[in-house]
Amino acid sequence: MTLLKVEDLKVHFPIRGGFFRTVVDHVRAVDGVSFELEEGETYGLVGESGSGKSTTGKAIVKLNKVTSGKILFEGQDIANYSSRQIKPYRRDIQMIFQDPYSSLNPKKRVLDIIAEPLRNFERHSPGEEKKIIQDYLDKVGLSPDSIYKYPHEFSGGQRQRIGIARSLTLKPKLIIADEPVSALDVSVQAQVLNFLQDLQEEFKLTYLFVGHDLGVIRHMCDRMGVMYRGRLVEEGTSKEIYNNPQHIYTKRLIAAIPDLEPSVREEKAIARQKVSEEYEQSYSKYFDEKGRAYDLKPISTTHRVALP
Ligand SMILES: Nc1ncnc2c1ncn2[C@@H]1O[C@H](COP(=O)(O)OP(=O)(O)OP(=O)(O)O)[C@@H](O)[C@H]1O
Ligand SMILES: [Mg+2]
């Protein structure tokens, strides 16, 4: 079943200028993006910095106002819901952010940090609440006495687990994870990623994974969409995107992945150079006169490419 369907989503931010601060132009952060998430799958959004990945994620959780387009969650278009209408969906769709340092209130105990969203939706006695929260702490691998501690008493990886526990108490259906491990040490990244995969099984979660680290996205995702300047340039299974990229931008993104293996480094550098030249030569084949990517066209049942 389709859980989320994003249709021709646009999020434009006004740029103000002049003495009266009038709107002089717009940043087309997201400029016509469509994709679907099946229940239980992990879908990745990749692309370089500023391509509109986070803006897309934030529009889905209503942290960004939608300029136009549809966001169908379980068939309901929530794109223009008021704050009252959106309330029940606030449980179902949760976002995990990149920075485990700034996303937790440093003045609050873990108990109150995790309980906060829950208190918006459910009434529990203090005893019950404590038990629920300790249960979730246990699920994310933190000890029960963590509830009395403050964020600074934890490591980066542990803080990210606290943030995850906080999202889970509402039993969401969809989790949007925006670079959830990029602020963590490489040594704990894999640990948190594996842990997110375990949670997916246990809670039957659907993930929208946002990031610029193709290695991470490939490891986590069944399918992915490649974003460039607010548009999707290619979509397919992780395997298709990696082994058979069709859009010149995707090719370039993949060629840019650094290789640690010394024996292939030179080979990679040559490949990178070749893609770079191909990019220059074939630019007009892949982008219109305004430099915008075309709409996605299917080239197989799972693979779509932005071509004229
Ligand atoms: N609130 C805002 N007001 C104005 N412009 C914004 C706002 N939020 C994002 N933008 C702009 O929209 C574009 C897309 O930003 P976004 O944060 O979605 O990129 P991203 O793909 O998540 O990049 P990164 O990999 O660096 O996180 C950028 O040009 C950014 O400056
Ligand atoms: Mg971002």
Side-chain angles (χ1 to χ4, degrees):
M1 202 191 79
T2 305
L3 183 66
L4 178 79
K5 186 171 181 185
V6 173
E7 263 181 54
D8 202 20
L9 179 69
K10 295 188 182 173
V11 181
H12 295 176
F13 296 108
I15 303 170
R16 289 172 189 280
F19 184 72
F20 294 107
R21 311 290 304 152
T22 47
V23 176
V24 291
D25 205 353
H26 286 90
V27 179
R28 296 167 182 272
V30 178
D31 204 22
V33 160
S34 306
F35 60 92
E36 280 183 45
L37 264 69
E38 289 298 308
E39 221 169 26
E41 84 166 327
T42 302
Y43 186 96
L45 273 183
V46 288
E48 68 197 71
S49 186
S51 55
K53 308 178 298 289
S54 297
T55 305
T56 304
K58 285 184 190 165
I60 297 165
V61 291
K62 305 280 285 178
L63 284 172
N64 273 331
K65 200 167 171 286
V66 171
T67 305
S68 67
K70 289 185 180 158
I71 298 172
L72 297 152
F73 185 79
E74 295 182 324
Q76 290 288 318
D77 184 7
I78 59 169
N80 297 301
Y81 270 19
S82 65
S83 49
R84 187 180 54 80
Q85 285 174 304
I86 200 72
K87 193 163 178 202
Y89 296 94
R90 289 226 187 272
R91 294 199 74 143
D92 294 335
I93 312 174
Q94 292 290 316
M95 191 152 178
I96 303 172
F97 293 94
Q98 170 175 13
D99 188 353
Y101 300 90
S102 65
S103 56
L104 306 179
N105 186 334
K107 296 200 186 86
K108 285 191 175 167
R109 293 180 308 173
V110 166
L111 175 74
D112 296 309
I113 290 173
I114 299 180
E116 194 185 28
L118 191 64
R119 286 173 190 158
N120 287 329
F121 289 96
E122 294 172 15
R123 290 270 152 255
H124 294 285
S125 71
E128 268 168 14
E129 190 185 76
K130 192 174 130 187
K131 202 186 155 297
I132 292 170
I133 287 163
Q134 286 178 326
D135 223 36
Y136 279 97
L137 282 170
D138 182 54
K139 287 200 196 324
V140 300
L142 293 171
S143 71
D145 62 337
S146 302
I147 55 170
Y148 301 114
K149 293 187 183 167
Y150 291 85
H152 74 262
E153 296 174 69
F154 295 90
S155 70
Q158 289 172 327
R159 280 187 241 211
Q160 193 57 305
R161 285 163 191 263
I162 294 168
I164 293 166
R166 182 181 143 102
S167 319
L168 286 176
T169 56
L170 295 175
K171 301 195 174 65
K173 293 173 183 163
L174 170 64
I175 289 192
I176 300 175
D178 192 348
E179 312 239 7
V181 298
S182 59
L184 305 177
D185 280 348
V186 175
S187 59
V188 280
Q189 283 191 357
Q191 205 186 336
V192 172
L193 291 174
N194 287 336
F195 161 70
L196 283 169
Q197 284 179 325
D198 293 344
L199 289 178
Q200 178 166 43
E201 256 173 51
E202 186 178 346
F203 293 95
K204 304 271 171 284
L205 296 168
T206 305
Y207 284 137
L208 176 62
F209 232 84
V210 171
H212 62 257
D213 186 333
L214 267 142
V216 168
I217 300 284
R218 179 195 199 178
H219 172 74
M220 291 298 288
C221 298
D222 309 305
R223 295 190 302 133
M224 59 172 96
V226 180
M227 271 189 96
Y228 177 68
R229 293 203 191 151
R231 313 245 322 148
L232 280 174
V233 297
E234 188 158 355
E235 181 190 76
T237 61
S238 298
K239 211 170 154 193
E240 282 165 337
I241 298 290
Y242 260 86
N243 300 345
N244 187 23
Q246 293 295 312
H247 197 280
I248 189 64
Y249 177 74
T250 314
K251 289 184 191 174
R252 227 169 74 146
L253 203 63
I254 287 166
I257 302 171
D259 216 301
L260 298 172
E261 189 64 49
S263 60
V264 298
R265 242 183 241 160
E266 197 180 338
E267 198 183 307
K268 276 279 241 188
I270 296 166
R272 199 147 44 230
Q273 180 61 29
K274 235 178 92 190
V275 170
S276 198
E277 280 161 23
E278 192 189 339
Y279 187 87
E280 302 299 330
Q281 284 157 12
S282 62
Y283 188 86
S284 60
K285 181 182 158 195
Y286 292 97
F287 299 99
D288 69 12
E289 63 279 5
K290 285 182 181 153
R292 271 168 53 113
Y294 295 100
D295 289 336
L296 294 174
K297 316 263 177 339
I299 61 161
S300 80
T301 50
T302 48
H303 201 163
R304 298 193 295 157
V305 189
L307 290 170

